[in-house]
Amino acid sequence: MCAKILVVDDDQKITTMMRRGLTFEGFDVDAANNGRECLMKVLENSPDLVILDVMMPDMDGLEVCRRLRKDGNIPILMVTGRDSVTDRVEGLETGADDYLIKPFAFEELVARVKALLRRTETAGNPADTLHFADLTLDLAAYSAIRNNRPIELSTTEFNLLKLFMQNPKRVLSRDLIMEKVWGYDFQVESNVLEVYVGYLRHKLELHSEPRLIHTVRGTGYVLRE
């Protein structure tokens, strides 16, 4: 079965272009022209991935992303003409799994979409659980529990935590983590990894639990007690 993709942009020329191109690539594509329509279509059709423009009237893409993330782990690829590091981090902080800057080559859009879908499939297929200290990650149910407390994770947060839990007590370099979780190189100045480690730490330590993800200065991170 082909993956269902929802394209959200207030510019109908862009949604038409993306819809035609992604359909040609074999995806089942629907479109929404504003944030409220997007939220409605997500509820009605349960797409496998959302391509979301940031700059929209009424309800912008950042607010749409926040609302989608509250209700589930659907992969979100945010698309925008705002290209500063601050803008990228803001998009990722709302829960987006990836960030693509306009103008972009259509081939890159397709590659990002396929990478996100692969990450989701890989995370959801194995019927197994990972354990470390008082933390449990259920790979089949796509859920995490620490000290009997459920933890809600976005797609990227889940994949990042999975990598750490598959390599306990092993120092993972920044480059290795970027390759395994994001699947391609971000721009050098991007601090997307630091942002997501911060998200995980906040969620894992919400009730003052001991830190599990530690920084190894000049190298990367390690999961240890």
Side-chain angles (χ1 to χ4, degrees):
M1 179 182 291
C2 60
K4 296 188 293 183
I5 297 176
L6 177 62
V7 177
V8 188
D9 198 304
D10 62 322
D11 187 332
Q12 292 191 6
K13 290 183 179 179
I14 292 178
T15 57
T16 299
M17 179 273 290
M18 287 192 189
R19 191 170 190 171
R20 287 176 179 171
L22 291 169
T23 299
F24 181 79
E25 292 289 331
F27 298 107
D28 180 3
V29 188
D30 195 5
N33 295 121
N34 58 66
R36 298 190 186 281
E37 186 181 3
C38 166
L39 297 176
M40 180 181 66
K41 289 196 171 186
V42 168
L43 288 174
E44 292 176 348
N45 302 322
S46 300
D48 298 301
L49 182 143
V50 174
I51 300 174
L52 181 62
D53 183 46
V54 173
M55 302 298 291
M56 293 187 295
D58 189 21
M59 183 188 298
D60 67 18
L62 296 175
E63 178 59 27
V64 174
C65 187
R66 291 188 190 96
R67 297 192 185 194
L68 289 176
R69 192 52 72 223
K70 278 185 178 179
D71 297 329
N73 294 318
I74 182 172
I76 300 171
L77 171 58
M78 193 164 280
V79 178
T80 180
R82 296 160 58 181
D83 61 354
S84 71
V85 173
T86 301
D87 289 327
R88 291 201 300 273
V89 170
E90 183 181 15
L92 294 166
E93 283 180 340
T94 64
D97 296 288
D98 200 354
Y99 196 99
L100 187 58
I101 298 169
K102 298 178 182 177
F104 53 82
F106 183 74
E107 292 80 5
E108 183 177 8
L109 174 70
V110 173
R112 301 281 186 105
V113 166
K114 290 180 177 178
L116 279 176
L117 292 172
R118 279 197 304 270
R119 282 156 49 189
T120 304
E121 291 169 0
T122 301
N125 283 339
D128 203 354
T129 56
L130 298 173
H131 302 276
F132 185 82
D134 56 355
L135 178 63
T136 298
L137 191 67
D138 189 325
L139 304 181
Y142 213 76
S143 61
I145 295 175
R146 184 171 193 191
N147 196 24
N148 297 317
R149 174 174 61 87
I151 302 171
E152 293 186 4
L153 299 172
S154 70
T155 303
T156 300
E157 290 167 349
F158 181 91
N159 289 328
L160 181 57
L161 183 57
K162 176 185 173 184
L163 178 64
F164 282 125
M165 294 187 68
Q166 287 175 328
N167 299 275
K169 302 180 182 179
R170 174 188 172 191
V171 177
L172 302 178
S173 70
R174 189 179 189 279
D175 289 343
L176 175 66
I177 297 171
M178 295 296 290
E179 177 186 347
K180 295 295 185 181
V181 176
W182 278 268
Y184 54 87
D185 294 332
F186 267 69
Q187 294 184 22
V188 175
E189 75 273 17
S190 173
N191 61 344
V192 60
L193 176 56
E194 288 73 18
V195 169
Y196 272 94
V197 168
Y199 293 163
L200 280 180
R201 283 174 171 167
H202 173 73
K203 292 183 177 183
L204 296 177
E205 303 166 16
L206 189 61
H207 291 174
S208 300
E209 293 95 338
R211 174 155 295 180
L212 294 179
I213 301 175
H214 299 267
T215 302
V216 181
R217 294 194 178 279
T219 303
Y221 297 92
V222 60
L223 181 72
R224 61 174 172 76
E225 296 184 80

